[in-house]
Amino acid sequence: MKEILVSKSDAGTRLDRFILKQLDRSSQGFIYKMLRKKNIVLNDKKASGNERLEENDRVKFWLSDDTFETLSTDKSEKIKAIQETGRSKQNFDFKANIIYEDEELILVNKPENVLVQKSDRKDISLNDMLLSYLAEEKKIDKESLKSYTPSICNRLDRNTTGIVIAAKTLAAARILNMIINDRSIKKEYLCIVSGKAKEEAIISAWLRKDEKSNTVVVDKDEFKAAKPIKTAYKRLYTDGTYSLLSVELITGRTHQIRAHLASVGLPIIGDVKYGDKDANASVKKKYGIKNQLLQAYRITFPKLEGDFSYLSGKIFESSIDKKFMEILKEYTWQHGSPED
């Protein structure tokens, strides 16, 4: 017999899904058969599988050790693979770039040229680095991975820098995904654009993604298969040629900030897909900049209830990217210096 005590991170999970995490090599049919025969019980009582678990519930498996091991993947191999991946990471110290961490979540400042999720098996992603860090710090082990594998909750383009949010527990993943999807968490971006922007504006348009080219098309008028987009910005500084903007996404679509600003004559400096070629060539020659100057620099949590109420209204910021600062210090900006 094996007994598993339900952890805080598994609270709220359906019993059948919890069992399938433990016996991930079995089938649903086998699980329900074991429940009917009372070979798997919840708090010493027969269960149907659709019960929602609470912290400290007890799930007992009246199965032989051999059967349990045969039907359960050895997570120690996963830990070993995670650590091997971590040793392969290059030019990025995950721990040094953590903005905030508690038992539920991590906020990390992502540099440019780092993928959040793999696009190819050989890629080393930020998600890999997250797991490697947690394994090295002994914050995950083979038992915890049976319940939940920590993961990144929001995405940034490969060459966009700034705050990325990761959930360390299943409960955190549920809350974070909810406030990201309903857009109640406020995310603000900094970017340097070519052109003198208005002091502030809310712009609307229509956007369609081209899967083949991994680009988007934006037009002010509705067109076939396009989705509505809305972007707000405030001009922080300008020298008449370039402008530093604070941008908030009201809707969230692929490449929205980059393509939307470009469509109104404010292309982001360094953006090879939607930017101005002459402006990009100029900053590349002078500063060596090859990627878009776009940074997710601030997030503000909405009001939250229960276990996550401690995050309500909290604001987190990342330090301004070095390449941003190099350009900002170079020019004389209206409304004073960015360092004022």
Side-chain angles (χ1 to χ4, degrees), residues 84-338:
E84 289 294 328
T85 298
R87 295 186 189 104
S88 301
K89 65 189 178 186
Q90 297 178 355
N91 302 323
F92 177 47
D93 186 337
F94 187 97
K95 186 175 182 178
N97 281 273
I98 291 174
I99 298 167
Y100 173 80
E101 180 180 6
D102 62 28
E103 292 183 354
E104 302 289 347
L105 57 92
I106 295 179
L107 306 179
V108 63
N109 189 23
K110 184 187 87 68
E112 65 181 33
N113 201 31
V114 171
L115 287 166
V116 173
Q117 303 285 355
K118 290 178 183 289
S119 61
D120 184 270
R121 284 184 62 190
K122 296 180 181 179
D123 291 332
I124 304 298
S125 70
L126 190 68
N127 209 73
D128 294 324
M129 297 177 199
L130 164 71
L131 294 174
S132 176
Y133 160 73
L134 292 172
E136 288 169 4
E137 297 291 316
K138 301 191 183 323
K139 296 179 180 182
I140 54 173
D141 55 32
K142 64 180 183 179
E143 289 303 316
S144 69
L145 288 175
K146 288 181 180 179
S147 299
Y148 174 72
T149 301
S151 65
I152 303 295
C153 296
N154 67 312
R155 289 196 172 203
L156 293 178
D157 294 337
R158 181 176 195 143
N159 291 316
T160 297
T161 62
I163 302 174
V164 172
I165 310 168
K168 294 169 68 176
T169 67
L170 181 59
R174 289 180 180 136
I175 290 293
L176 292 171
N177 287 324
M178 179 185 74
I179 62 176
I180 289 169
N181 290 333
D182 69 16
R183 311 202 66 76
S184 58
I185 187 169
K186 184 178 181 181
K187 295 185 286 185
E188 297 171 80
Y189 298 75
L190 284 179
C191 62
I192 298 178
V193 300
S194 180
K196 184 176 181 179
K198 297 177 182 178
E199 288 193 3
E200 61 181 282
I202 297 176
I203 52 178
S204 299
W206 295 81
L207 176 149
R208 183 185 69 208
K209 185 176 180 181
D210 184 337
E211 298 288 350
K212 290 183 179 179
S213 63
N214 192 29
T215 59
V216 300
V217 179
V218 173
D219 196 285
K220 64 179 181 179
D221 298 316
E222 185 176 2
F223 61 103
K224 186 177 179 181
K227 296 179 179 179
I229 57 172
K230 188 174 286 189
T231 308
Y233 73 78
K234 292 182 179 179
R235 188 186 75 201
L236 303 180
Y237 311 100
T238 185
D239 70 341
T241 301
Y242 300 113
S243 298
L244 175 67
L245 306 182
S246 173
V247 182
E248 182 182 354
L249 286 172
I250 298 173
T251 58
R253 309 289 185 196
T254 302
H255 298 175
Q256 179 177 320
I257 293 176
R258 297 162 59 190
H260 203 181
L261 289 177
S263 74
V264 296
L266 298 171
I268 295 176
I269 296 298
D271 188 344
V272 296
K273 285 189 176 181
Y274 308 103
D276 179 276
K277 290 183 180 180
D278 292 336
N280 288 349
S282 176
V283 295
K284 182 178 180 180
K285 182 178 180 181
K286 190 169 185 178
Y287 302 102
I289 290 171
K290 302 176 184 178
N291 305 310
Q292 65 264 13
L293 292 177
L294 176 64
Q295 177 178 349
Y297 82 104
R298 180 189 291 155
I299 61 169
T300 305
F301 279 88
K303 183 177 181 180
L304 297 171
E305 305 292 340
D307 291 342
F308 293 88
S309 59
Y310 71 96
L311 289 169
S312 294
K314 282 199 172 182
I315 299 172
F316 297 95
E317 293 184 352
S318 61
S319 57
I320 296 179
D321 186 84
K322 290 180 180 179
K323 290 184 178 179
F324 270 67
M325 290 306 301
E326 190 175 355
I327 292 179
L328 293 177
K329 289 177 180 178
E330 180 79 14
Y331 293 93
T332 302
W333 303 84
Q334 293 177 17
H335 309 303
S337 162

